[in-house]
């Protein structure tokens, strides 16, 4: 630093020191190289998407990418502090968007990911073959005994994932008059293990799940028909009695990153792929035992025709 002072003078040196100590995220000026902070949320499809973005940021544009594993709501809290620049896949969260995008104005949407998101209730295919009418929610009480567990007593079980995931299931059980209880498995991994076990051993399972998800290539699950979604039917979380809406997933970035992130922000904004693309990377991570970085590298090498137009000129 003493050498820097001699070369550039005390005032500039002080400015450089302040910038170095500020920890203010990606890039001090648009287009310059810096660090991009990407949070990782608790499902493998998200991690797959983050890995591809990180690989391209590092290898095509020369940025450094810092990843940290966080709960979804905690990530939104950190947009204001600059600890996170990018959430690569957001499922709805209209309450968080209202607070951080509309009111605090510290975040904004960077466009759609290209994925089509589906959330719902699923049962193993073998159950549908044995009980053809089980996919109609109005018949679930008839089969509640099949889904009883030690945790639910005389009630059937609806197995959910992480309680921080987007879910209306407790309200649905209550408002639809279902003799069931929601039990949280704690993670996506636990849901997948439950689906694999129920399929292999022909045990009953009613579970919360979602697409895109690589496991549909390995395990046959069938979606249960809940009351059709209509705009506004889920406005009051306590009164929800309808299916989940179709989700057009988007990317959320801090306003500071959008204004100063230069080509890094342009790449994030340009990113758009399909459910099949995401599932391919996620499947390699799980089934081929690749690291996220290895799976991302392989996808990038094989799909230049997809990502070449994402790279800023």
């Amino acid at each position: 630093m003493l050498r820097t002072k001699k070369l550039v003078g005390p005032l500039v040196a002080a400015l450089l020191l302040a910038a170095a100590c500020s920890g203010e995220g990606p890039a001090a000026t648009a287009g310059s190289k810096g660090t991009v902070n990407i949070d990782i949320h608790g499902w493998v499809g998200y991690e797959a998407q983050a890995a591809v973005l990180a690989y391209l940021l590092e290898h095509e544009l020369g940025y450094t990418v810092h990843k940290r594993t966080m709960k979804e709501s905690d990530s939104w809290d950190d947009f204001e502090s600059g600890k996170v620049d990018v959430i690569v896949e957001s499922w709805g969260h209209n309450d968080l968007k209202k607070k951080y995008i509309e009111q605090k104005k510290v975040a904004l949407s960077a466009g759609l990911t290209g994925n089509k998101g589906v959330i719902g209730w699923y049962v193993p295919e073998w159950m549908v073959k044995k009980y053809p009418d089980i996919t109609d929610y109005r018949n679930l009480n008839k089969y509640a005994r099949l889904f009883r567990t030690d945790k639910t007593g005389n009630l059937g079980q609806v197995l959910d994932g992480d309680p921080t995931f987007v879910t209306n299931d407790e309200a649905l059980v209550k408002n639809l008059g279902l003799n069931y209880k929601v039990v949280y498995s704690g993670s996506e991994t636990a849901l997948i293990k439950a689906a694999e076990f129920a399929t292999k051993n022909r045990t009953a399972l009613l579970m919360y799940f979602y697409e895109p998800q690589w496991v549909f290539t390995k395990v046959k699950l069938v979606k249960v028909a809940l009351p059709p979604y209509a705009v506004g039917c889920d406005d009051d979380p306590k009164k929800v009695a309808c299916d989940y809406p179709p989700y057009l997933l988007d990317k959320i970035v801090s306003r500071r990153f959008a204004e100063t992130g230069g080509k890094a922000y342009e790449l994030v904004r340009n990113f758009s792929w399909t459910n099949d693309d995401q599932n391919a990377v996620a499947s390699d991570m799980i089934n081929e035992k690749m690291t996220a970085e290895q799976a991302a590298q392989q996808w990038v090498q094989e799909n230049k025709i997809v990502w070449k137009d994402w790279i800023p000129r």
Side-chain angles (χ1 to χ4, degrees), residues 228 252 272:
I252 308 298
S272 179

Side-chain angles (χ1 to χ4, degrees), residues 150-163:
D150 292 340
K151 295 180 179 180
T152 63
N154 290 327
L155 300 175
Q157 175 178 271
V158 180
L159 187 66
D160 269 47
D162 187 315

Side-chain angles (χ1 to χ4, degrees), residues 44 192 196 213-219 278-291 295 298:
V44 69
I192 291 172
E196 291 174 332
Q213 171 52 248
W214 66 267
V215 81
F216 283 98
T217 65
K218 300 290 184 180
V219 176
Q278 186 181 104
N279 288 341
V281 179
S283 180
D284 281 341
M285 292 166 58
I286 301 299
N287 298 311
E288 303 303 325
K289 309 302 180 185
M290 292 184 183
T291 65
Q298 176 168 292

Side-chain angles (χ1 to χ4, degrees), residues 133-193:
D133 62 346
I134 202 170
T135 57
D136 186 331
Y137 81 95
R138 289 169 292 192
N139 297 320
L140 286 177
N141 280 345
K142 181 170 66 173
Y143 296 109
R145 70 187 187 282
L146 300 176
F147 300 101
R148 292 173 182 169
T149 69
D150 292 340
K151 295 180 179 180
T152 63
N154 290 327
L155 300 175
Q157 175 178 271
V158 180
L159 187 66
D160 269 47
D162 187 315
T164 67
F165 288 177
V166 173
T167 177
N168 300 324
D169 287 359
E170 290 186 27
L172 284 168
V173 166
K174 178 181 178 181
N175 297 327
L176 295 178
L178 300 177
N179 299 325
Y180 286 78
K181 179 180 179 180
V182 175
V183 174
Y184 294 94
S185 67
S187 68
E188 177 184 75
T189 300
L191 285 176
I192 291 172
K193 287 182 178 179

Side-chain angles (χ1 to χ4, degrees), residues 41-51 88-89 115 188 210 212-214 273 278-279 281-282 285:
H41 295 162
W43 58 96
V44 69
Y46 184 107
E47 188 178 359
Q49 185 162 311
V88 304
E89 183 179 281
N115 298 128
E188 177 184 75
Y210 42 84
Q213 171 52 248
W214 66 267
W273 66 353
Q278 186 181 104
N279 288 341
V281 179
M285 292 166 58

